[in-house]
Amino acid sequence: MSVLRKRLVIAACVLLALVVLALLPPLVNVNRFQRRIASSISRSVGRPVHLDSVSMTLLPLPGFTLENFVVSEDPQFGSEPVMRADEVKATLRVSSLWRGKLEFSTISLTAPSVNLVRNAAGRWNLETILLQASQIDAAPTQQKRAGSTPRFPYIEATDARVNVKLGDEKTPFSLTGAEFALWLPDPQEWRLRLKAKPARTDTDASDTGELRVEATLRRAAKMSDVPIQAEAVWRRTPLGEASKVLVGYDAGWRGDAAAEVKVDGTLGDASVTATLHMTDVRRSDFVPTRLMEIDAHCEARATGVLRELRGLRCSIPVDAAALTGTEAGGQIEGVNAGTLALTGDLPSLFDWKSADLQASLAGVAPGYALDWLRLFSQRIPQSLSATGEMHGTFSYGPGTAGLWAGSATCDCALSLPVTTRGAVLSKTTTERLPIHADATIGSDGTGGRSLQIVASVSHALHPDKTVADLPGGDAEASINGEGLRVHYPATTSTEFLEALERRLPPLMDGLPEGSGEWVSYRPWGGTQIWSKPVAAPVHKRGHRG
């Protein structure tokens, strides 16, 4: 036989084999595998599994295509399926067929919908699935030769959606466009990888960044004893879109945020560390001269299968490095200008009313607060600076009716240019204005909270730097969700009000003539209004005739 003829015969055989491989699957009745495949998966996850049909494929690799794949739910977590996928492709390990076993190398799910459910007892539906899977012996996914135990398949999903439910109620939180992978690198260890986009169905949030999760779990007899090492990163997230996901509306902040959480220990008792980094922080109304930056670090113990946080400790350093572009002339003086701290316990991650938290200010420079105020108003001059220290403690918990309460004190001085009504003097002079302020968070009388600030100008604080034309005086400010209210007592002199107007024009808009008791009120985004307090009516006691 000539070489050419041999080549033609080989080509014909290959072509015939390809035709057979392409035409044979539809002619083979694989329905007898349907119940076997469903039963095998059901034993692995501890849930009933249903398939509408099974078809066989031989190219490019032999396997099965499962149509309308459904994993039913445990009744204690509801009636909606745990998972539903229109199509699942399972690639066979050909070598397993010669041993009379059915093993899959890869299971690929296209656009599955997964329900993550937490019941009234605080348990998650995936807990029982994970515990059931841990009781089944399996060989590593990458093991080349078949052994006495079946090899765990590489499970992957694309364009998945993960919904979060509390009992029968589906929350607006979800993960969309998810890519998921699960495999067994070691007989006692699972690896999990997830990449998804956070979403919230009751908002128009779109550019919500990317969430990445890497986790390693090992086998254990009890769910609480399962060792875990996990890392979750949420990055490239605009603050406005992040607020839509977290609180359900655009909170009016702009900038970029990134968060990272690490878990190490067991599902019943693990250490948790988290970092939050926000850059170019500002309000949406305008772009200020200086943008702010926040770096927060938190530590806690997670107990109760990641349901509780105990011993929470968070800190936000407040120093010159906390400002973007801190060049000469910045508002914070000194390298170590204090710390903002948060401590406490969170008995239920899904019930913030159960939290017992304390927030504190320790040696925080008032200039730091001044730069935050500049994010709300363009009228605060850049030449205005502040020195001194702020100290305070605030609490949130059962004793505060589920609202923040506490107080803070600032003994500080403002260095500011003197201005006249509406115009800057041709020759600007800088003065140091000594101020003592006490701030308290309390009830606003409507079931909410307001910030009460009582401030006084006292030359006794800095007797060597007395401002000649500024007499002492007091003011009490109240800030809530509606606006800013400032009360000047009856002892207030005209000279004091006019002196404040020259130094703090935004605070004294529309100042009327006259001394005595005044109240100014400025609704957020509105015009400031001045008025005299209305005296309570006096009821005279009548005389009997």
Side-chain angles (χ1 to χ4, degrees), residues 34 41 75 93 133 207 280 360 378 415 427 479 505 529:
Q34 182 171 333
I41 299 175
R93 295 185 188 269
D207 185 12
D280 298 336
S360 63
Q378 294 177 285
S415 297
K427 182 179 181 181
I479 302 173
I529 302 171

PDB file of all heavy atoms in Angstrom, residues 34 41 75 93 133 207 280 360 378 415 427 479 505 529:
ATOM      1  N   GLN A  34     -30.208   9.586  34.330  1.00  0.00           N
ATOM      2  CA  GLN A  34     -30.802  10.768  34.959  1.00  0.00           C
ATOM      3  C   GLN A  34     -31.013  10.574  36.451  1.00  0.00           C
ATOM      4  O   GLN A  34     -30.610  11.401  37.268  1.00  0.00           O
ATOM      5  CB  GLN A  34     -32.128  11.111  34.280  1.00  0.00           C
ATOM      6  CG  GLN A  34     -32.804  12.361  34.846  1.00  0.00           C
ATOM      7  CD  GLN A  34     -34.002  12.779  34.009  1.00  0.00           C
ATOM      8  OE1 GLN A  34     -34.052  12.496  32.807  1.00  0.00           O
ATOM      9  NE2 GLN A  34     -34.954  13.446  34.618  1.00  0.00           N
ATOM     10  N   ILE A  41     -25.799  13.549  43.237  1.00  0.00           N
ATOM     11  CA  ILE A  41     -25.668  14.942  43.674  1.00  0.00           C
ATOM     12  C   ILE A  41     -26.470  15.171  44.948  1.00  0.00           C
ATOM     13  O   ILE A  41     -26.039  15.885  45.861  1.00  0.00           O
ATOM     14  CB  ILE A  41     -26.110  15.899  42.560  1.00  0.00           C
ATOM     15  CG1 ILE A  41     -25.240  15.714  41.316  1.00  0.00           C
ATOM     16  CG2 ILE A  41     -26.045  17.344  43.032  1.00  0.00           C
ATOM     17  CD1 ILE A  41     -25.683  16.540  40.119  1.00  0.00           C
ATOM     18  N   PRO A  75     -37.042  22.352  54.359  1.00  0.00           N
ATOM     19  CA  PRO A  75     -38.236  23.110  54.772  1.00  0.00           C
ATOM     20  C   PRO A  75     -37.980  24.113  55.891  1.00  0.00           C
ATOM     21  O   PRO A  75     -38.693  25.137  55.970  1.00  0.00           O
ATOM     22  CB  PRO A  75     -39.202  22.008  55.229  1.00  0.00           C
ATOM     23  CG  PRO A  75     -38.788  20.804  54.460  1.00  0.00           C
ATOM     24  CD  PRO A  75     -37.302  20.906  54.332  1.00  0.00           C
ATOM     25  N   ARG A  93     -14.919  11.926  33.632  1.00  0.00           N
ATOM     26  CA  ARG A  93     -13.563  11.363  33.697  1.00  0.00           C
ATOM     27  C   ARG A  93     -13.648  10.011  32.989  1.00  0.00           C
ATOM     28  O   ARG A  93     -14.205   9.041  33.529  1.00  0.00           O
ATOM     29  CB  ARG A  93     -13.121  11.183  35.144  1.00  0.00           C
ATOM     30  CG  ARG A  93     -12.962  12.477  35.939  1.00  0.00           C
ATOM     31  CD  ARG A  93     -12.395  12.176  37.319  1.00  0.00           C
ATOM     32  NE  ARG A  93     -12.392  13.327  38.184  1.00  0.00           N
ATOM     33  CZ  ARG A  93     -11.378  14.184  38.287  1.00  0.00           C
ATOM     34  NH1 ARG A  93     -10.288  14.002  37.546  1.00  0.00           N
ATOM     35  NH2 ARG A  93     -11.461  15.206  39.114  1.00  0.00           N
ATOM     36  N   ALA A 133     -21.548  17.726  53.033  1.00  0.00           N
ATOM     37  CA  ALA A 133     -20.457  17.458  52.098  1.00  0.00           C
ATOM     38  C   ALA A 133     -19.190  17.026  52.819  1.00  0.00           C
ATOM     39  O   ALA A 133     -18.406  16.220  52.300  1.00  0.00           O
ATOM     40  CB  ALA A 133     -20.188  18.701  51.254  1.00  0.00           C
ATOM     41  N   ASP A 207     -22.554  51.370  39.329  1.00  0.00           N
ATOM     42  CA  ASP A 207     -21.100  51.196  39.427  1.00  0.00           C
ATOM     43  C   ASP A 207     -20.729  50.890  40.881  1.00  0.00           C
ATOM     44  O   ASP A 207     -20.249  51.744  41.616  1.00  0.00           O
ATOM     45  CB  ASP A 207     -20.402  52.472  38.945  1.00  0.00           C
ATOM     46  CG  ASP A 207     -18.885  52.317  38.904  1.00  0.00           C
ATOM     47  OD1 ASP A 207     -18.398  51.170  39.028  1.00  0.00           O
ATOM     48  OD2 ASP A 207     -18.193  53.342  38.758  1.00  0.00           O
ATOM     49  N   ASP A 280     -10.197  61.017  48.524  1.00  0.00           N
ATOM     50  CA  ASP A 280     -10.862  62.110  47.808  1.00  0.00           C
ATOM     51  C   ASP A 280     -12.302  62.303  48.283  1.00  0.00           C
ATOM     52  O   ASP A 280     -13.235  62.500  47.490  1.00  0.00           O
ATOM     53  CB  ASP A 280     -10.849  61.853  46.293  1.00  0.00           C
ATOM     54  CG  ASP A 280      -9.444  61.788  45.728  1.00  0.00           C
ATOM     55  OD1 ASP A 280      -8.538  62.363  46.363  1.00  0.00           O
ATOM     56  OD2 ASP A 280      -9.241  61.149  44.684  1.00  0.00           O
ATOM     57  N   SER A 360     -15.049  57.344  70.898  1.00  0.00           N
ATOM     58  CA  SER A 360     -14.307  58.319  71.694  1.00  0.00           C
ATOM     59  C   SER A 360     -13.401  59.165  70.816  1.00  0.00           C
ATOM     60  O   SER A 360     -12.928  58.729  69.764  1.00  0.00           O
ATOM     61  CB  SER A 360     -13.469  57.614  72.764  1.00  0.00           C
ATOM     62  OG  SER A 360     -12.494  56.773  72.172  1.00  0.00           O
ATOM     63  N   GLN A 378     -18.576  76.365  51.161  1.00  0.00           N
ATOM     64  CA  GLN A 378     -17.476  77.010  50.449  1.00  0.00           C
ATOM     65  C   GLN A 378     -17.108  78.344  51.078  1.00  0.00           C
ATOM     66  O   GLN A 378     -16.129  78.964  50.675  1.00  0.00           O
ATOM     67  CB  GLN A 378     -17.860  77.224  48.983  1.00  0.00           C
ATOM     68  CG  GLN A 378     -18.046  75.949  48.190  1.00  0.00           C
ATOM     69  CD  GLN A 378     -18.494  76.225  46.772  1.00  0.00           C
ATOM     70  OE1 GLN A 378     -19.642  76.558  46.522  1.00  0.00           O
ATOM     71  NE2 GLN A 378     -17.576  76.098  45.831  1.00  0.00           N
ATOM     72  N   SER A 415      -7.786  80.923  64.627  1.00  0.00           N
ATOM     73  CA  SER A 415      -6.996  82.013  64.034  1.00  0.00           C
ATOM     74  C   SER A 415      -7.687  82.403  62.740  1.00  0.00           C
ATOM     75  O   SER A 415      -7.806  81.591  61.820  1.00  0.00           O
ATOM     76  CB  SER A 415      -5.567  81.544  63.751  1.00  0.00           C
ATOM     77  OG  SER A 415      -4.921  81.205  64.960  1.00  0.00           O
ATOM     78  N   LYS A 427      -6.522  95.832  54.616  1.00  0.00           N
ATOM     79  CA  LYS A 427      -5.382  95.313  55.342  1.00  0.00           C
ATOM     80  C   LYS A 427      -5.908  94.275  56.337  1.00  0.00           C
ATOM     81  O   LYS A 427      -6.504  94.615  57.353  1.00  0.00           O
ATOM     82  CB  LYS A 427      -4.633  96.422  56.075  1.00  0.00           C
ATOM     83  CG  LYS A 427      -3.389  95.914  56.811  1.00  0.00           C
ATOM     84  CD  LYS A 427      -2.671  97.054  57.504  1.00  0.00           C
ATOM     85  CE  LYS A 427      -1.417  96.524  58.215  1.00  0.00           C
ATOM     86  NZ  LYS A 427      -0.714  97.622  58.932  1.00  0.00           N
ATOM     87  N   ILE A 479     -27.999  70.962  66.177  1.00  0.00           N
ATOM     88  CA  ILE A 479     -27.906  70.459  64.809  1.00  0.00           C
ATOM     89  C   ILE A 479     -28.649  69.131  64.721  1.00  0.00           C
ATOM     90  O   ILE A 479     -28.405  68.226  65.517  1.00  0.00           O
ATOM     91  CB  ILE A 479     -26.437  70.253  64.387  1.00  0.00           C
ATOM     92  CG1 ILE A 479     -25.653  71.563  64.510  1.00  0.00           C
ATOM     93  CG2 ILE A 479     -26.354  69.713  62.974  1.00  0.00           C
ATOM     94  CD1 ILE A 479     -24.167  71.398  64.280  1.00  0.00           C
ATOM     95  N   PRO A 505     -18.624  85.237  58.978  1.00  0.00           N
ATOM     96  CA  PRO A 505     -19.753  85.700  58.146  1.00  0.00           C
ATOM     97  C   PRO A 505     -20.801  84.624  57.865  1.00  0.00           C
ATOM     98  O   PRO A 505     -22.002  84.923  57.924  1.00  0.00           O
ATOM     99  CB  PRO A 505     -19.063  86.182  56.853  1.00  0.00           C
ATOM    100  CG  PRO A 505     -17.664  86.504  57.273  1.00  0.00           C
ATOM    101  CD  PRO A 505     -17.324  85.521  58.349  1.00  0.00           C
ATOM    102  N   ILE A 529     -32.771  82.375  58.979  1.00  0.00           N
ATOM    103  CA  ILE A 529     -33.850  83.219  59.480  1.00  0.00           C
ATOM    104  C   ILE A 529     -33.548  83.586  60.929  1.00  0.00           C
ATOM    105  O   ILE A 529     -33.167  82.728  61.731  1.00  0.00           O
ATOM    106  CB  ILE A 529     -35.203  82.479  59.398  1.00  0.00           C
ATOM    107  CG1 ILE A 529     -35.496  82.054  57.954  1.00  0.00           C
ATOM    108  CG2 ILE A 529     -36.326  83.334  59.955  1.00  0.00           C
ATOM    109  CD1 ILE A 529     -36.688  81.136  57.829  1.00  0.00           C
TER     110      ILE A 529
END
